[in-house]
Amino acid sequence: MAATGMVRAHVVPSMTVEADFAADQSYVLRINVDPRTFLAADPTTLPPVPASWYREQTPDQMAATHQKAQEYLSGALGVLFGGQKSVLPACEVQAIDGADNTPLKEDTQEVHLLATVRGRVSTGATTFQIEFGKDANTSLILLHTQAGKAELRPQVIFPGETSRVFQFTQAAEPPPASPAPLPPSNSNRLYLIIALSVACIIVTVGWQLLKRYRHHHRLHRRPRSDGPL
């Protein structure tokens, strides 16, 4: 078996997709693939795949492994821009450490594959979705990022489901230069002083509440001894 030699317990694999959109209409999909998803119809029957399985492959065998990953992803993932579905573009595939998603190291135990897709958003499209094939044999975790900012709530998608609509922004014309601000009037100065005073009060009260919370939390974290059952 490809994964012979791994001694730790089996972990149910999942696929992770990070969809990153830039203001210039380019996008990148980074797909973390556990090799078990294309090595077996039921990935849970295999233990995690050791790095030695990948390192010991010849260049031709590695190319075949990358092709299997591409074929699996093409069947499992469809991308939709503006509601229009298209097949997953060709991926660049590289091996990574399954524990921390960094390049393979000497002490890497489990190998994953990172498939990277680069492309441009369809003209006029402002929404993105992923259609997860009903025959996919794992679950999918999807995270959107835009201009380096990640959304707070990743999605979990199961076979046969389509991700919720993600709205991204296209590049826009730069706004016209603003005229130089006028010197503040007396009323504006008064408003500014009041606003700053209120802000200082809010910060002070918030800090005091935080200190009280931390003190209360420390008191309740004192160790206690449990008697015999």
Side-chain angles (χ1 to χ4, degrees), residues 53-135:
W53 168 80
Y54 186 85
R55 288 197 182 100
E56 293 169 1
Q57 294 183 10
T58 66
D60 288 344
Q61 290 172 330
M62 285 185 181
T65 295
H66 294 180
Q67 181 61 32
K68 288 180 181 178
Q70 172 74 59
E71 293 172 354
Y72 169 79
L73 292 174
S74 296
L77 299 177
V79 293
L80 293 87
F81 288 102
Q84 298 297 313
K85 180 183 175 182
S86 61
V87 297
L88 188 74
C91 306
E92 299 175 6
V93 182
Q94 67 179 100
I96 59 174
D97 190 308
D100 57 15
N101 301 332
T102 60
L104 290 186
K105 303 179 288 291
E106 288 298 324
D107 60 349
T108 295
Q109 297 296 312
E110 178 183 350
V111 65
H112 281 193
L113 297 178
L114 177 64
T116 303
V117 176
R118 302 179 187 277
R120 298 193 67 80
V121 176
S122 307
T123 303
T126 58
T127 61
F128 170 78
Q129 293 171 277
I130 280 183
E131 183 180 277
F132 201 31
K134 63 180 180 180
D135 295 328

Side-chain angles (χ1 to χ4, degrees), residues 76 78 130-134 140 156-164:
I130 280 183
E131 183 180 277
F132 201 31
K134 63 180 180 180
L140 170 65
V156 178
I157 307 167
F158 296 97
E161 296 182 346
T162 300
S163 66
R164 66 175 180 265

